[in-house]
Amino acid sequence: MTCWLMKTEPDTFGIDDLATRPGQTEPWDGVRNYQARNFIREMRPGDEVLIYHSSCAQPAIVGIADVAGEPRPDPTQFDPESPGHDPRSKPETPRWYLVDVRYRAHLPRPVSLAALKAQAEAFEGLLLLSRGRLSVLPVSAAHRDRILALGKG
DNA sequence: GCCAACGTTGGC
DNA sequence: GCCAACGTTGGC
C-alpha cells in the first residue's frame, strides 16, 4: 500500500472543503499532467493520501485522506463547459483519470514546505521538493512517517 | 525527433 | 504580481 501526496489550492478547494463534503469525499478531478495521471492510475482503494495546500500564504501538508475507489476516467474532460475539457479525449479512449478522495483527519500541526526544506537530508528524494510542479506524487514510508511525526500536536 | 515558443504551476 | 522551472505543443 502506497502513500501519496496530492496538492490543492485552499482558495479553491481546501481540506476544510473536503471535510464538509457529503460523505467527506470528493472526486479529485482536473489533473492534466501525464506524470500525475500515471500516478493516479497506480492508486488503489485504501491508499493513504497526504493533502497539501499550494499557492497560499503557508504552503504545507495539512491533513490525511484516503483513496475511496478505483481510478476512473475524469468526466470533466468530456464536458465542453468545464475548464478541464479536453477536446482530444474520447469516452472510449479517456486521457485523464481521477480518484475519489475521502477525508480522514487534519494534522494537529501543518507541516510547512519550509519545514521540509529545513530537513533536506531527511527528505532527500521526496518529489515534492525536487519536482516542484508535480501535483500528485508518491511518498516513501520513511518520509510519510517523518511527516506525520512533525505534524503531531 | 529536435527544439523554440508558449503556457502553467507555484514559491516568494 | 513577478518570475523561474519545466511540461507541452507544433513547425520543420
Side-chain angles (χ1 to χ4, degrees), chain A residues 44-122:
Chain A
R44 291 298 167 257
D47 280 1
E48 188 171 62
V49 177
L50 304 176
I51 301 294
Y52 176 86
H53 280 174
S54 67
S55 295
C56 58
Q58 198 192 43
I61 297 164
V62 293
I64 306 174
D66 58 28
V67 175
E70 298 286 344
R72 56 191 173 89
D74 179 345
T76 66
Q77 70 193 300
F78 307 121
D79 177 4
E81 304 298 307
S82 168
H85 179 234
D86 189 336
R88 301 165 301 183
S89 291
K90 300 270 166 4
E92 55 282 12
T93 54
R95 186 175 296 239
W96 306 113
Y97 284 74
L98 61 72
V99 287
D100 296 294
V101 174
R102 181 198 301 127
Y103 172 83
R104 234 196 265 160
H106 283 61
L107 292 184
R109 235 197 307 173
V111 178
S112 69
L113 180 62
L116 298 175
K117 285 180 171 173
Q119 296 192 242
E121 330 81 60

Side-chain angles (χ1 to χ4, degrees), chain A residues 22-34:
Chain A
Q24 299 187 305
T25 301
E26 180 75 359
W28 212 263
D29 59 23
V31 174
R32 295 294 181 271
N33 166 283
Y34 289 104

